[in-house]
Amino acid sequence: MFIQNPASIYDDEEGAHYHYPKSYHSRVLDRVGDWVILYESGKGGGSNPLTYYAVAEIAGTRPDPKTEGKFYADYVPGSYLDFAHRVPLRRKDGCYHSSLVQKSPGRPNGIVRNAVQPIREEDFWEILRLGTRADAALMLPRQDKLDDPLLEVEDLQTPFEGPRKRERVETYLNRAARDRTFRARVIGAYGGRCALTGLGFVNGGGRAEVQAAHIRPVECGGPDAVVNGLALSGTVHWMFDRGLLALSDDGEILTSRKINDVDSLDRLLFADRKMRFPEKLQDRPHATFLRWHREEVFEK
């Protein structure tokens, strides 16, 4: 488990790498090729303290070329996944991280202070299951018949089966499960509304019309992280993916000169040509991904 906070003094990059001091290096080296759960302790700010919020696979480590005594743990590209639901530190009978000792009710002690710490196999799987569960219609695509057969037959909540080999994480987090979890996280962050138009249609089955779009696609190295996502209505999503729309770092909506129906687009987008950001600062699109989209996809 890695402790990572939004206002951390370390050079963490969500979905890419974790930055840590030499004192934890042997622990991280021992987990290369394994999976890690990310936890927000609340130290130094953050709106969701004491919660587990993501999972990733560690690809390897490397020294920080700028700071002696510090290192980076790089994630396997495409392995990072934001949880659909943040998992709290505590539960009724203690903590999900069962190695923590309770000094008094509701006050965990011990290794919780360590930024890098081991976690039991059964605790890892319980947190992963709770974080990726799907139990709301808003998370589902708007289509009545799903394109992916895995989604049509998959249980919405997989029962906990006890300890399993970590190598099976890839199987558990198949592409269908990842898409569902990513959608839940992004749509929830934007309140079920399109970030560029404000449209928030929901069909009779309670499914949102709005879609979860990757800013930098997974096939191009983008992570399944809310900071690499946008809630977009179908038409806007189509235009964004084809480079007809883009966003500046401060949320200005940029339009391509190749658009052939500007009047209709003007009626569709917000009048001030500014996207509406998620309420939480940590959920806002990261400048790294917006810049990649402008440079690699946008048709100026």
Side-chain angles (χ1 to χ4, degrees):
M1 185 182 82
F2 289 168
I3 294 180
Q4 181 175 319
N5 295 302
S8 172
I9 62 172
Y10 289 90
D11 183 29
D12 303 321
E13 184 175 331
E14 193 164 355
H17 60 242
Y18 182 75
H19 195 217
Y20 63 92
K22 185 177 181 180
S23 56
Y24 296 122
H25 191 48
S26 61
R27 291 186 185 180
V28 178
L29 276 176
D30 190 48
R31 287 294 179 264
V32 170
D34 207 341
W35 290 75
V36 61
I37 283 178
L38 299 178
Y39 171 77
E40 183 180 321
S41 70
K43 184 177 180 180
S47 57
N48 292 280
L50 307 182
T51 56
Y52 304 95
Y53 67 91
V55 65
E57 185 179 4
I58 305 174
T61 67
R62 54 188 168 91
D64 182 343
K66 297 180 180 179
T67 308
E68 185 177 357
K70 291 185 179 178
F71 297 83
Y72 290 99
D74 294 314
Y75 301 138
V76 173
S79 69
Y80 182 96
L81 177 67
D82 269 329
F83 287 163
H85 309 272
R86 284 181 171 246
V87 180
L89 171 69
R90 305 179 184 91
R91 56 185 178 187
K92 292 181 180 179
D93 59 348
C95 297
Y96 285 107
H97 187 347
S98 60
S99 295
L100 301 182
V101 179
Q102 295 283 90
K103 287 179 61 178
S104 61
R107 294 187 63 191
N109 187 23
I111 60 172
V112 72
R113 294 188 180 91
N114 295 330
V116 177
Q117 54 189 264
I119 188 168
R120 293 177 179 174
E121 191 83 19
E122 57 268 31
D123 296 341
F124 174 92
W125 279 102
E126 179 71 353
I127 293 169
L128 182 63
R129 180 187 69 80
L130 292 171
T132 58
R133 74 186 189 277
D135 54 7
L138 190 63
M139 302 174 188
L140 299 174
R142 58 180 171 171
Q143 294 89 350
D144 290 329
K145 182 173 178 58
L146 306 179
D147 295 331
D148 193 324
L150 288 175
L151 283 176
E152 293 188 78
V153 300
E154 188 173 29
D155 290 337
L156 291 183
Q157 186 168 350
T158 304
F160 178 58
E161 300 173 358
R164 290 174 286 184
K165 294 291 185 181
R166 293 283 178 94
E167 303 89 78
R168 294 186 60 189
V169 177
E170 294 94 335
T171 302
Y172 182 88
L173 297 178
N174 58 55
R175 190 66 248 169
R178 281 180 165 275
D179 287 344
R180 184 188 63 205
T181 302
F182 176 73
R183 175 178 169 80
R185 185 72 177 87
V186 172
I187 301 307
Y190 287 85
R193 292 187 174 276
C194 174
L196 275 60
T197 68
L199 295 174
F201 296 123
V202 176
N203 72 10
R207 296 178 179 179
E209 181 274 342
V210 72
Q211 301 170 2
H214 286 86
I215 300 171
R216 180 170 183 165
V218 172
E219 56 268 27
C220 296
D224 291 307
V226 66
V227 295
N228 185 39
L230 293 167
L232 301 176
S233 64
T235 298
V236 175
H237 188 177
W238 182 89
M239 296 181 72
F240 186 83
D241 284 352
R242 284 153 184 79
L244 299 177
L245 295 175
L247 294 166
S248 69
D249 291 350
D250 63 359
E252 180 186 356
I253 302 172
L254 309 176
T255 58
S256 170
R257 289 178 294 177
K258 295 186 178 182
I259 295 174
N260 59 12
D261 191 353
V262 177
D263 291 340
S264 294
L265 184 63
D266 286 340
R267 291 192 293 269
L268 184 63
L269 300 176
F270 284 118
D272 60 3
R273 291 295 178 93
K274 287 276 190 178
M275 71 164 288
R276 300 301 185 258
F277 288 108
E279 181 179 347
K280 295 177 181 176
L281 182 63
Q282 66 201 61
D283 289 343
R284 296 187 176 191
H286 197 284
T288 299
F289 303 122
L290 293 175
R291 182 171 60 253
W292 181 92
H293 182 269
R294 291 195 301 269
E295 294 175 353
E296 301 296 330
V297 180
F298 185 48
E299 299 281 353
K300 298 180 181 179

